[in-house]
Amino acid sequence: MAMNSETIEWEVAVDDQNKSTEFNPFKGGLHCGKRVRTNPHMRAFWAATLAFCLAFVGWFAFAPLLSVVRVDIGICDNQAAVDLLPENEKVKGCVCKKSCKAAIGNANLAAVSFDVFTRFIMGSVIEYFGPRLTDCMLLTWGTIVVSASAAVTSATGLMIARFFVSALGSTFVVNQFW
């Protein structure tokens, strides 16, 4: 924010770089401040918090659904028997032993690997684009990839989807910077 000759009265105490020196996330109620120009600190805090919550949900959406996903993509070790079961009994009837656990294990490894890479490069990206645009880019990427993951039909597709969704974990780095 460029400083004019006028002095801005911030709603929170700030230092010589206009960074907030106090933390009061509920100051100003639902509007995050009385005036838009005078309280960017809490708006940034809540924007970062909301962005990370959305990214976290997208990042971990597959984990609790894996028991259903493994049936839907046909990686159960007894898939032929599972296909004959009524729809409401398929998840319970799935036996996940060697090949099924290997496919899920590989998908879990993929879910971490791209996140590690993106966390390493995130510092440079944040310095170049700034935290706000970087967070927007990550959330846009996450929206596309999480939406596309609904089209997964094989173990390889599951691995690829979890690989690219893992970039959402890097929103943690953006929030630390912010």
Side-chain angles (χ1 to χ4, degrees):
M1 179 195 266
M3 295 297 291
N4 301 5
S5 59
E6 68 179 277
T7 304
I8 296 175
E9 287 186 39
W10 302 105
E11 292 180 30
V12 293
V14 297
D15 61 11
D16 59 339
Q17 296 177 342
N18 292 329
K19 293 183 178 178
S20 179
T21 58
E22 70 181 49
F23 179 68
N24 188 354
F26 302 106
K27 186 171 187 142
L30 296 175
H31 302 290
C32 294
K34 295 175 187 162
R35 296 177 303 273
V36 172
R37 289 188 62 199
T38 61
N39 198 17
H41 308 94
M42 290 304 113
R43 285 194 315 276
F45 168 76
W46 285 113
T49 301
L50 180 62
F52 183 71
C53 287
L54 290 172
F56 190 84
V57 168
W59 186 23
F60 286 106
F62 261 117
L65 297 174
L66 279 176
S67 60
V68 176
V69 170
R70 69 183 183 198
V71 172
D72 287 345
I73 63 176
I75 61 172
C76 296
D77 289 328
N78 63 336
Q79 191 62 40
V82 169
D83 289 339
L84 299 174
L85 293 173
E87 196 64 39
N88 61 344
E89 295 177 18
K90 286 186 176 187
V91 173
K92 290 180 183 174
C94 177
V95 174
C96 190
K97 297 225 180 201
K98 193 171 185 173
S99 65
C100 177
K101 284 190 179 186
I104 290 174
N106 289 336
N108 289 341
L109 285 174
V112 174
S113 58
F114 194 48
D115 180 40
V116 171
F117 171 72
T118 54
R119 284 186 187 205
F120 277 123
I121 65 166
M122 202 48 57
S124 299
V125 174
I126 292 169
E127 288 292 333
Y128 188 77
F129 291 108
R132 183 177 52 90
L133 290 176
T134 304
D135 223 8
C136 288
M137 287 187 292
L138 281 171
L139 289 174
T140 301
W141 171 256
T143 300
I144 293 166
V145 177
V146 169
S147 298
S149 66
V152 169
T153 58
S154 66
T156 305
L158 177 65
M159 207 165 30
I160 292 168
R162 297 229 33 217
F163 177 78
F164 287 118
V165 166
S166 71
L168 285 172
S170 297
T171 56
F172 170 77
V173 177
V174 178
N175 287 355
Q176 290 297 312
F177 185 90
W178 212 334

